[in-house]
Amino acid sequence: MDFLIKRDELHECRLAELDTQPLEPAQATLKVESFGLTTNNITYAVFGEAMSYWDFFPGPEGWGRVPVWGFAEVENPGDTGLEETTRIFGYLPPSSQLVVTPDNVDARGFVDASHHRADLPSPYNSYAFTDAMPVYEKRREAQQMLLWPLFFTSFLLDDFLGSEHLFGAQTVVLSSASSKTALGVAFQLAQREGSDVVGLTSPERVGFVDDLDIYDSVVPYPEVDTLPNNPAVYVDISGDAAVRAAIHEHYGDELRHSAVVGATHFESLAPEEASSLPGPEPKFFFAPDQVRRRTADWGGEGLDSRFAEAWGPFVDWADGWLEVVRREGPEAVKSAYLELLEGRADPSVGYALSP
Ligand SMILES: NC(=O)c1ccc[n+]([C@@H]2O[C@H](COP(=O)([O-])OP(=O)(O)OC[C@H]3O[C@@H](n4cnc5c(N)ncnc54)[C@H](OP(=O)(O)O)[C@@H]3O)[C@@H](O)[C@H]2O)c1
């Protein structure tokens, strides 16, 4: 099975037979077993051209395979040194199989050295053996594929804000407060003494977000001007132009930092060029920069172990609200994708899909 999206019309998508080719000597095949699907994957499609997300798993002319995070097993190791049935976690296509060219194979995993991936950001080319992953638990595979890629950014963002002493502010305002990424940031910030975390969300999601009791206050988008205008930091997960403008106009110079993180409201995105808004210039938060910074400070293993320490309590908390919906088969992949694309998905739901 293969799930393809029309690159210039994301609402057009189709299921296809996977076109398989004989393996070359350095190649192996992975059988894709399951993957998570959230709005993050929609953002990969929205920025498929601009940020090269379509280039990881190239599709036929004009069509793309949106990347997903999930589990696979070595199906045919060829002569690569991998062992059959080894379980792997990483970046996958929404297809039943992936051909990789394993390189740097060690006890922790390998890198896919396929030619077409050489210039793409390296963290996405690494595949981990689940046995060697500090956060891996068999019973929590669904939570891992749904939340791990999001919470890694949440963790890094909180760490970044903390290392900047919240830019001298106490208040952090997050948009798309109902998203799993925002909830991860709020969960981390709640552990910082003295911080005041405000969640902005759509009016119909205020109840869901409020009930989670992780934000100090929850405000619907149309009521931004009711916020006290003390010094604040904005963490923009919606990417919404009107919401960003409302925040910048409301806080003006009291806004100490404006971080661009997500684009859930992809149909009303703020322009990328320099803004004429009051307050600081919105700045893209690039997680790999913080990874580099912390790898230099703590070493790779130090970063992994700090992340693992934060992960446990977060997943325990998410068990209280995350509804894992397991679905199987190609049609299930297509319908979950369209539901997310059209903004119809319930924020508490996480799709754990098996092709
Ligand atoms: N920069 C990075 O490194 C990085 C890393 C991880 C995630 N992210 C980004 O963070 C964002 C959240 O991802 P997620 O997977 O955590 O999301 P999610 O849990 O699936 O979020 C769902 C929420 O997003 C908003 N939303 C989703 N689709 C929408 C639509 N079509 N129209 C309007 N609102 C919509 C709604 O929130 P509201 O009503 O509350 O707005 C909805 O409740 C994505 O843009 C993702 O790419 C960025």
Side-chain angles (χ1 to χ4, degrees), residues 38-41 43 149-150 153 175-182 200-202 205 221 237-238 261-267 284-285 287 340-343 345 347:
T38 70
T39 307
N40 186 37
N41 306 95
T43 305
L150 309 176
T153 290
S175 62
S176 270
S178 64
S179 68
K180 294 160 191 72
T181 305
L200 290 181
T201 187
S202 307
R205 297 193 181 103
Y221 293 123
I237 293 178
S238 69
V261 178
T264 58
H265 296 194
F266 64 92
E267 281 168 312
F284 184 63
F285 175 74
L340 285 160
L341 181 72
E342 290 160 14

Side-chain angles (χ1 to χ4, degrees), residues 13 31 38 79 86 89 98 117 133 160 214 235 262 275 279 306 332:
C13 54
K31 178 171 180 254
T38 70
D79 293 328
T86 301
F89 179 71
L98 172 65
R117 294 176 71 160
M133 267 192 110
F160 164 71
I214 199 70
V235 173
S275 86
R306 280 170 174 85

Side-chain angles (χ1 to χ4, degrees), residues 37-115:
L37 210 64
T38 70
T39 307
N40 186 37
N41 306 95
I42 304 300
T43 305
Y44 289 152
V46 169
F47 291 100
E49 308 292 346
M51 294 183 72
S52 307
Y53 289 115
W54 295 131
D55 297 348
F56 285 92
F57 312 112
E61 184 64 34
W63 295 82
R65 299 186 175 99
V66 71
V68 293
W69 290 91
F71 293 93
E73 269 190 19
V74 177
E75 189 172 48
N76 180 355
D79 293 328
T80 61
L82 295 184
E83 282 179 33
E84 209 175 323
T85 74
T86 301
R87 201 160 181 77
I88 283 161
F89 179 71
Y91 214 46
L92 300 168
S95 322
S96 46
Q97 196 186 67
L98 172 65
V99 175
V100 289
T101 305
D103 194 15
N104 296 345
V105 182
D106 64 15
R108 288 160 53 128
F110 65 89
V111 170
D112 181 10
S114 294
H115 185 65

